[in-house]
Amino acid sequence: PAAPQPPPAPANGAALPAGVADSQFLVEADAEITRAAQQILDKQFPGIFRDAMKEFADTANSAKEATAKVLDSAFNSTLTVVYDAAAMIPGKCMHIREAIFAKVNTSAATTHEALRSFESGVDGAVNAFGDAWQPVLFSLQALHAAVPSALRTAGLDELAASADASLGSGDGLLGRASSVTDKLRNVSATVKGIAEEPLEVAQEKLKAAEVEVQSFLDKADSFAEHFIERIGNFTDSASEKLDVPGGLFSASQQTTASAAEEVLDGVRELAEGISEAEALTGVMPQPSQSPGGGAAAGRASLGALAAALLVAAALCDVKSPFERRGRAPVRPAAHRGRPG
């Protein structure tokens, strides 16, 4: 099934207005996404099978297994939409990484120019990632619409209510996905105006930016972990309630794991790109002061300087990171012959 089309995003990749979360833009697409999810269900639960499912699921083992297989196919059809959106993230993040590398590397005539280019590059990276992340958000909303409906159709009303809460906003999967871009915007806010600051302040801003990049990675890790865990919980619970082998839901579980891995590949690529661009500015982040005082701080500064020299040596051929190493996104084997 084709991924539902999102509502218009802010023009030219511009940042969202203050106080506006990505999830607010999803509301405009609710009706369209719900219709798309229902089309998936109508295809997976045709005619008389839909009407008879509840009647026979509690009596015949063959009917229970058939119910589980159709549920898995319905889940996997919508999860494939999520996977297709997630599979675009690593490649797009590679391009973002290359763009910020080139921007800082070609304009580093002075420290202030390098820092100004770094700030501009981070802003561009944040906006570009937000554009790339939007299809993932919309596909997750389709998942939120489809999974509870499929479970209710199969007579699993209690599990459907749990899925509705677990996949929605707030602490749900959709809310966790929206918070990934919120964390990345903090990096941009941290380095705002860095080129106009004294060197010591610029160092402090770079240190704070490193912390925010790590928070971005942590938030993406948390999203991926909860994505796998929650889909696994639904399929395990459905297996238990239908009294069928858990392996009947293997396609959905594999697709979920593959989509999560694509997301993590992409955000790590982006984080590495920001770190590389920071090193190219020639300004070392302000080291943390240890209880040992000046001598310890001096050793920390020397260690940081040594690390910077190693980075500079690695980059001195002025090649982009994509000329030095190649990457390929992970593809789930099940999608070579994608289930209906």
Side-chain angles (χ1 to χ4, degrees):
Q5 294 299 310
N12 300 321
L16 297 175
V20 176
D22 288 324
S23 55
Q24 290 180 247
F25 285 90
L26 303 180
V27 176
E28 302 177 32
D30 250 348
E32 183 179 353
I33 288 173
T34 301
R35 283 196 299 272
Q38 191 59 50
Q39 288 173 0
I40 292 171
L41 294 176
D42 289 342
K43 183 177 180 180
Q44 300 300 331
F45 293 90
I48 193 169
F49 186 80
R50 173 193 286 267
D51 299 330
M53 188 182 299
K54 292 182 182 179
E55 181 179 348
F56 289 107
D58 292 332
T59 58
N61 287 335
S62 59
K64 291 178 181 180
E65 290 197 5
T67 299
K69 289 177 180 177
V70 174
L71 268 178
D72 182 49
S73 186
F75 289 168
N76 199 43
S77 291
T78 314
L79 284 164
T80 298
V81 177
V82 180
Y83 172 80
D84 287 343
M88 302 296 292
I89 298 295
K92 289 183 177 180
C93 285
M94 287 173 67
H95 288 300
I96 296 170
R97 178 180 179 180
E98 190 166 41
I100 189 174
F101 177 93
K103 180 180 283 288
V104 180
N105 189 58
T106 58
S107 62
T110 68
T111 297
H112 285 294
E113 288 174 359
L115 288 172
R116 188 173 292 109
S117 295
F118 176 68
E119 179 186 351
S120 174
V122 169
D123 285 344
V126 169
N127 291 331
F129 182 81
D131 291 342
W133 193 242
Q134 281 285 358
V136 175
L137 293 172
F138 289 112
S139 67
L140 289 172
Q141 189 158 350
L143 186 71
H144 181 211
V147 169
S149 296
L151 291 169
R152 289 188 187 97
T153 301
L156 303 176
D157 292 347
E158 184 178 340
L159 187 54
S162 174
D164 192 32
S166 295
L167 296 175
S169 57
D171 192 49
L173 200 62
L174 187 57
R176 288 178 176 273
S178 296
S179 67
V180 171
T181 47
D182 292 340
K183 284 294 181 183
L184 185 59
R185 289 191 193 100
N186 290 344
V187 181
S188 181
T190 299
V191 299
K192 185 174 180 61
I194 191 171
E196 314 308 321
E197 302 286 2
L199 182 60
E200 294 78 8
V201 176
Q203 289 176 315
E204 292 173 359
K205 282 179 172 283
L206 289 179
K207 183 64 177 178
E210 288 181 351
V211 172
E212 295 298 344
V213 168
Q214 185 58 52
S215 295
F216 165 64
L217 287 171
D218 292 343
K219 186 63 70 173
D221 281 339
S222 176
F223 162 75
E225 179 183 345
H226 280 80
F227 184 29
I228 294 172
E229 177 186 351
R230 292 181 185 190
I231 297 300
N233 286 344
F234 301 148
T235 55
D236 289 347
S237 296
S239 298
E240 182 180 346
K241 290 180 180 299
L242 294 172
D243 193 22
V244 296
L248 292 176
F249 289 94
S250 59
S252 295
Q253 293 166 351
Q254 180 182 353
T255 303
T256 302
S258 297
E261 187 166 355
E262 296 285 4
V263 168
L264 292 179
D265 264 2
V267 298
R268 288 167 185 160
E269 192 79 52
L270 177 55
E272 288 171 10
I274 293 174
S275 296
E276 283 180 340
E278 178 189 302
L280 287 173
T281 66
V283 179
M284 293 305 301
Q286 185 69 35
S288 300
Q289 293 296 324
S290 69
R299 287 193 295 270
S301 297
L302 288 174
L305 178 59
L309 291 173
L310 287 173
V311 170
L315 300 178
C316 66
D317 56 359
V318 199
K319 290 182 179 178
S320 82
F322 315 101
E323 294 176 273
R324 295 196 301 273
R325 66 182 182 88
R327 293 174 64 89
V330 178
R331 299 283 175 182
H335 294 162
R336 297 192 187 103
R338 192 171 291 166

